[in-house]
Amino acid sequence: MDSGVSQKSARASTVALAGALLLAAAMGIGRFAYTPLLPPMQEALGWTASHAGDVASSNFFGYLAGALAATSLAQRPERLSWLLTGMILSAATTSAGAVAVSFHVWLAIRFFSGVASALCLVLGTAVVIQFLAIHSRTHLGTLHFAGVGGGIVASVAVIELARLAGFSISGQWGALGITSIALFAGAWTIIGAPPNRRKLEGRVTLHASKGQAPANWLLKKLIAAYGLFGFGYIVTATFIVAMARRLDNAAFVEPLTWIVVGLVAAPSVLLWQRVAQRLGMFPALRLAYGLEAAGVLLAGFASGPAAVLIGGALLGGTFMGITALGLSAGRLAAGSDHDRAIGWMTASFGLGQLLGPAVAGRLAEATQGFEAPSMLAALLLIIGMAMLRGMENSLNGR
């Protein structure tokens, strides 16, 4: 009996680890490696802040399209095949950075990278969480989501090692491509193994909440607040290394800033789950919004290394927690209509991410600094936090 339980736990842990490798490659590298490479890319390619913001927005437009498609694909028997497609596309678009020089080519590469990231995140999370639920090990989902932070740290390590070895920006993208291929191969070796594949294939069973959904205006407020979060966090997540570059000792601060974001992001989902258990889901969400707004302002107005590093820590410590808690809150607020609600929340979040870098890039270019876009991002986060006020009382009263 004990042996069977131990084997079940080991299998679940292995699949959770595969999920972490998957998210490390698709999100930590495929989606977020653009941030630490952005300043040298601007110098090498002659991009303005508007160019940089547009390329980032192209990625988030692809993410929005991919997330909406993946929402329906997650319910189909062939979802593992689509997950493999996303993994291949992610590795290919990361590797393509080694040969891309044109601004318009970069727009296309980052768009398809966004599509791939969404497929990997949505489909990968669906299959991993289902497997963990089958084995009664859903708590291991925190290991799966820790892959995002781990991938961010790994991307900085690969970039710095490649740079020290004398590689150009193209060579650094090539090194990231090789790393992502290795991570995806490790993930698929586990997920695609026949014993696991049989349990991971097929339709996901989603259990609807009993009773009627709460008043529609509650859900609309939550969806709007989630979109404001998408705009608010992505401004700093895109430009924080560029912000660090303005400081003295930038060569030291730049990579360290993004490493701090990743290190703090890795355990953040588990942390915010515990905060939500203690305070309640919506108070925890409001606290996370407020802390993230503070981090956005610290990074945007930083005059020294400490401010930008603390800002990065607050960003890394909140954005994955808000993502996870926000979707859980959406399911709670929607009741039996949770599938549609998650789709609308994904769309709202994606729209915020799409607009954020483009608007912020133009503001930064017009004002010759990141203070104005950071103020706008923090203001939207504060508005989102205010929109969540009292929501738990409204839901409990139903």
Side-chain angles (χ1 to χ4, degrees):
M1 182 71 173
D2 290 342
S3 176
V5 171
S6 178
Q7 290 178 358
K8 180 187 290 188
S9 179
R11 287 196 299 271
S13 298
T14 302
V15 170
L17 176 60
L21 296 176
L22 171 67
L23 293 189
M27 302 294 291
I29 294 177
R31 191 170 180 206
F32 289 123
Y34 178 77
T35 297
L37 283 174
L38 178 56
M41 285 175 65
Q42 286 182 266
E43 291 182 359
L45 300 175
W47 287 358
T48 64
S50 295
H51 287 120
D54 287 348
V55 172
S57 288
S58 178
N59 180 254
F60 303 129
F61 181 52
Y63 182 84
L64 172 60
L68 292 176
T71 300
S72 61
L73 292 174
Q75 307 302 309
R76 297 183 180 180
E78 63 272 21
R79 61 183 177 156
L80 271 185
S81 297
W82 282 106
L83 174 58
L84 180 59
T85 299
M87 294 164 71
I88 293 171
L89 182 60
S90 180
T93 51
T94 298
S95 301
V99 295
V101 292
S102 163
F103 170 70
H104 293 95
V105 171
W106 270 108
L107 287 175
I109 287 174
R110 294 305 291 166
F111 171 83
F112 287 108
S113 175
V115 173
S117 295
L119 289 175
C120 290
L121 175 64
V122 176
L123 299 180
T125 298
V127 297
V128 170
I129 296 302
Q130 183 190 16
F131 189 94
L132 298 180
I134 290 173
H135 290 79
S136 302
R137 296 292 187 275
T138 53
H139 64 280
L140 291 173
T142 55
L143 173 58
H144 167 67
F145 287 111
V148 178
I152 289 174
V153 175
S155 70
V156 177
V158 170
I159 290 168
E160 289 302 304
L161 287 173
R163 183 182 63 81
L164 291 173
F167 287 104
S168 65
I169 298 297
S170 296
Q172 291 169 38
W173 274 111
L176 288 169
I178 293 171
T179 304
S180 68
I181 290 171
L183 291 171
F184 279 132
W188 186 253
T189 298
I190 298 168
I191 293 175
N196 293 335
R197 189 181 184 100
R198 286 193 294 272
K199 292 185 178 181
L200 293 171
E201 286 176 332
R203 182 180 177 86
V204 183
T205 302
L206 296 175
H207 301 285
S209 301
K210 295 181 179 180
Q212 297 296 317
N216 202 33
W217 69 272
L218 291 175
L219 184 57
K220 287 181 179 179
K221 283 176 63 177
L222 183 57
I223 290 170
Y226 205 58
L228 294 177
F229 157 59
F231 189 113
Y233 106 88
I234 204 59
V235 169
T236 309
T238 300
F239 291 108
I240 190 169
V241 176
M243 296 171 186
R245 173 159 284 211
R246 302 176 303 168
L247 306 175
D248 295 333
N249 300 316
F252 164 73
V253 178
E254 280 183 51
L256 183 59
T257 299
W258 200 235
I259 288 174
V260 166
V261 172
L263 285 175
V264 179
S268 64
V269 173
L270 176 60
L271 170 65
W272 283 107
Q273 284 180 348
R274 292 182 175 177
V275 173
Q277 290 170 0
R278 186 176 183 86
L279 302 181
M281 184 178 298
F282 290 102
L285 267 173
R286 291 196 297 271
L287 176 60
Y289 269 67
L291 289 174
E292 186 161 297
V296 166
L297 290 174
L298 275 172
F301 284 83
S303 58
V308 75
L309 290 174
I310 295 172
L314 289 173
L315 174 71
T318 54
F319 82 93
M320 284 301 298
I322 295 175
T323 301
L325 290 181
L327 292 178
S328 296
R331 294 175 68 86
L332 177 64
S336 60
D337 201 24
H338 53 67
D339 287 352
R340 187 183 304 176
I342 295 303
W344 279 110
M345 290 192 68
T346 301
S348 178
F349 180 70
L351 181 61
Q353 289 188 124
L354 171 63
L355 295 174
V359 173
R362 282 161 175 76
L363 268 178
E365 191 173 330
T367 60
Q368 297 298 303
F370 291 101
E371 291 83 0
S374 296
M375 287 181 64
L376 175 60
L379 174 63
L380 294 180
L381 285 167
I382 294 300
I383 293 173
M385 180 177 67
M387 293 175 71
L388 297 173
R389 186 174 178 81
M391 187 169 286
E392 63 271 22
N393 295 329
S394 299
L395 290 173
N396 291 336
R398 296 274 161 185

